[in-house]
């Protein structure tokens, strides 16, 4: 078990930046200005291995290197395999492209009616409103455009996207993404949310953001007022490891929740970060403690240069099996693969249906025991002895 679930053990403080005035530290613009963005910046605090050095040299051609001081503090400098480090410090593996990997792994470019809008599902769209993030995840599925290291030159035109949504009455759900929408100024966000709210057929608005995790200082009372005014605005945050659940994140989630923002979490299953049952369980327990409902657990997309972070999808299914029945139902995310090429998200669920006959469903519970549910109406069910099966074994 990840050892630190009690709230008084959650990380807080300024770590390497203890000398900085707290009013600066708590200012999101100070955090952005002082991001670590180069090999030299990282080497002030970490001893990099040759793999990491190579990754850093290559980063500005693939996906910019940037880590907020706040998030950098969560790296344990004495652990070369630190799970936070693996998410944000580039590695040489990024320079290699496996044959199955793609620049646009989930086929978004084929579902793009206008710039900034991905319209894959009939009733909802992804609205990309910026190409910038507070920090960059090395497995970013949109690394072709995010941070503009690959010269994609994405220039979001809000009006084009808004007009598309206005003209398509079938769109009832708009998901703001990017890049990170919460990097927009309060004014821009306010404008965008007001315009979306004014569209009669838009019922549901949500924001996908890792800002609460990378830059909780951005979740200011003023921002929360805007979210409240145009609410309900739902938000999916992106936490992958329990040590990202700090007191600062918890307080940011409190501010969002008290502003009426329902919170969900999307994690990516990553090798050496969260692909073991204890870490995953600790993560989802901490999320519940912060009022965040685990929503999706993603199989890592086949993005170029991500082989060193990807797991076998069967491992994800086994991990979900290790949770179901063993912990709070609310804590269990849906494991999904975003289908290569553009089929959308497809759920992968452990199989609890052993067999279906004309007479009954033969089911297996979380302990591996079988149970029968009769399908014939009005026929007394025969008594069936419980047949214990071996417990599922985690690979
Ligand atoms: C993930 C995604 C959505 C939202 O899907 P939900 O299952 O409703 O969360 C919408 N559009 C695109 C293109 C997506 O990738």
């Amino acid at each position: 078990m990840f050892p630190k679930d009690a709230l008084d053990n959650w990380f807080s403080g300024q770590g390497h930046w203890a000398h900085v005035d707290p009013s600066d530290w708590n200012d999101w613009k100070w955090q952005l200005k002082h991001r670590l963005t180069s090999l030299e910046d990282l080497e002030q605090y970490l001893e990099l291995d040759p793999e990491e050095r190579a990754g850093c040299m290559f980063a500005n051609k693939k996906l910019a290197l940037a880590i907020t001081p706040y998030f950098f503090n969560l790296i344990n400098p004495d652990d070369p395999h630190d799970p936070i480090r693996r998410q944000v410090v580039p590695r040489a593996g990024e320079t290699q492209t496996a044959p199955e990997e793609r620049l646009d792994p989930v086929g978004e470019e084929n579902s793009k009616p206008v710039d900034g809008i991905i319209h894959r599902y009939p009733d909802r769209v992804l609205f990309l409103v910026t190409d910038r993030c507070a920090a960059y995840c090395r497995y970013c599925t949109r690394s072709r455009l995010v941070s503009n290291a690959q010269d994609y030159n994405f220039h979001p035109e809000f009006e084009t996207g808004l007009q598309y949504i206005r003209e398509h009455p079938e769109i009832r759900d708009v998901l703001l993404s990017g890049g990170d929408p919460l990097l927009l100024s309060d004014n821009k966000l306010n404008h965008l949310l007001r315009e979306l709210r004014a569209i009669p057929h838009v019922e549901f608005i949500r924001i996908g953001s890792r800002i609460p995790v990378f830059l909780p200082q951005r979740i200011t009372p003023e921002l929360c007022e805007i979210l409240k005014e145009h609410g309900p605005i739902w938000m999916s945050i992106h936490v992958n490891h329990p040590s990202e659940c700090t007191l600062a994140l918890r307080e940011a989630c409190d501010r969002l929740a008290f502003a009426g923002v329902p919170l969900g979490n999307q994690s990516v299953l990553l090798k050496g970060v969260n692909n073991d049952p204890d870490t995953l369980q600790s993560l989802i327990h901490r999320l519940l403690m912060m009022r965040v409902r685990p929503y999706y657990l993603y199989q890592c997309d086949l993005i170029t240069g991500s082989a060193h972070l990807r797991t076998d999808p069967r491992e994800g299914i086994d991990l979900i099996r290790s949770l179901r029945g063993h912990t709070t139902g609310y804590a269990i995310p849906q494991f999904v693969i975003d289908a290569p090429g553009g089929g959308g998200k497809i759920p992968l669920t452990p199989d609890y249906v052993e067999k279906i006959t004309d007479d009954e469903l033969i089911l297996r519970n979380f302990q591996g025991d079988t149970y029968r549910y009769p399908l014939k109406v009005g026929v007394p069910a025969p008594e069936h002895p419980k047949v214990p099966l071996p417990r599922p074994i985690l690979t």
Side-chain angles (χ1 to χ4, degrees):
M1 177 64 71
F2 182 80
K4 299 180 286 184
D5 274 340
L7 269 182
D8 54 357
N9 282 327
W10 293 27
F11 180 86
S12 64
Q14 297 184 197
H16 298 294
W17 287 269
H19 56 283
V20 169
D21 191 313
S23 66
D24 282 336
W25 178 258
N26 292 317
D27 174 355
W28 65 279
K29 297 205 161 133
W30 183 95
Q31 289 282 338
L32 284 179
K33 200 166 138 204
H34 292 84
R35 288 185 295 183
L36 297 94
T37 58
S38 65
L39 178 64
E40 295 71 37
D41 288 350
L42 294 184
E43 285 192 317
Q44 287 187 37
Y45 305 96
L46 292 180
E47 210 171 302
L48 298 181
D49 67 27
E51 295 253 322
E52 290 171 321
R53 297 171 131 266
C56 289
M57 312 281 261
F58 181 73
N60 58 10
K61 293 199 195 64
K62 180 172 190 265
L63 174 71
L65 159 59
I67 310 171
T68 54
Y70 160 80
F71 195 72
F72 185 85
N73 266 338
L74 308 184
I75 297 174
N76 172 2
D78 300 326
D79 178 6
H81 306 294
D82 181 90
I84 304 299
R85 181 171 180 153
R86 279 181 74 74
Q87 295 181 58
V88 290
V89 175
R91 298 191 66 81
E94 289 181 21
T95 64
Q96 289 140 22
T97 301
E100 66 277 16
E101 294 177 343
R102 296 286 178 272
L103 270 176
D104 178 19
V106 300
E108 293 183 331
E109 297 292 329
N110 304 326
S111 314
K112 199 181 74 174
V114 299
D115 271 352
I117 295 280
I118 316 287
H119 195 173
R120 161 160 314 131
Y121 301 101
D123 70 330
R124 54 206 192 278
V125 291
L126 201 59
F127 189 176
L128 308 182
V129 295
T130 171
D131 64 353
R132 299 301 143 118
C133 292
Y136 294 105
C137 311
R138 302 323 301 174
Y139 49 88
C140 176
T141 220
R142 247 168 248 134
S143 50
R144 69 184 183 283
L145 72 88
V146 164
S147 90
N148 206 36
Q150 301 184 24
D151 297 326
Y152 184 98
N153 290 321
F154 175 55
H155 296 292
E157 293 286 345
F158 294 173
E159 198 40 47
T160 316
L162 286 167
Q163 196 53 29
Y164 180 84
I165 297 167
R166 287 186 198 110
E167 286 166 0
H168 288 79
E170 71 274 22
I171 299 171
R172 45 162 288 285
D173 171 356
V174 176
L175 163 48
L176 298 181
S177 183
D180 201 312
L182 296 187
L183 268 195
L184 298 180
S185 68
D186 285 0
N187 273 343
K188 280 194 173 162
L189 210 56
N190 195 16
H191 166 78
L192 203 52
L193 293 175
R194 175 173 300 125
E195 290 299 314
L196 284 172
R197 256 312 159 228
I199 303 173
H201 52 268
V202 173
E203 301 169 356
F204 187 72
I205 302 174
R206 51 179 156 166
I207 298 175
S209 173
R210 208 177 185 186
I211 286 273
V213 179
F214 282 148
L215 187 64
Q217 299 80 7
R218 172 69 184 100
I219 311 301
T220 59
E222 295 75 25
L223 175 67
C224 291
E225 269 310 304
I226 292 168
L227 298 173
K228 188 172 175 183
E229 183 186 337
H230 303 294
I233 306 289
W234 292 53
M235 191 176 293
S236 293
I237 66 171
H238 174 177
V239 189
N240 286 332
H241 188 275
S243 59
E244 292 162 51
C245 300
T246 63
L247 284 187
L249 174 59
R250 185 168 182 268
E251 285 164 13
C253 290
D254 276 352
R255 293 193 288 278
L256 289 167
F258 294 150
V261 178
L263 295 167
N265 183 63
Q266 316 196 81
S267 296
V268 181
L269 188 56
L270 296 169
K271 192 193 284 178
V273 174
N274 54 13
N275 63 330
D276 77 273
D278 289 346
T279 303
L280 208 54
Q281 195 166 107
S282 179
L283 168 65
I284 62 185
H285 289 168
R286 282 189 167 205
L287 289 168
L288 290 191
M289 293 165 83
M290 302 192 297
R291 299 187 176 81
V292 181
R293 163 82 157 100
Y295 179 42
Y296 283 140
L297 174 66
Y298 288 93
Q299 170 66 19
C300 185
D301 290 331
L302 295 165
I303 184 69
T304 52
S306 64
H308 59 294
L309 288 168
R310 285 202 308 275
T311 53
D312 183 319
R314 289 169 289 190
E315 201 179 331
I317 297 175
D318 277 343
L319 283 165
I320 297 297
R321 200 199 305 280
S322 78
L323 299 173
R324 173 64 64 193
H326 298 279
T327 187
T328 313
Y330 271 120
I332 302 171
Q334 176 68 58
F335 180 47
V336 290
I337 286 190
D338 212 334
K345 298 177 185 71
I346 300 178
L348 294 179
T349 309
D351 205 355
Y352 295 101
V353 179
E354 193 73 14
K355 201 172 164 196
I356 306 176
T357 70
D358 288 344
D359 297 334
E360 58 186 4
L361 287 180
I362 303 177
L363 304 168
R364 202 203 292 206
N365 83 345
F366 71 106
Q367 289 162 315
D369 301 331
T370 51
Y371 290 85
R372 291 155 192 266
Y373 188 95
L375 294 174
K376 285 257 152 78
V377 180
V379 177
E383 280 304 314
H384 288 291
K386 263 177 33 175
V387 185
L389 291 175
R391 290 172 76 101
I393 294 161
L394 285 172
T395 48

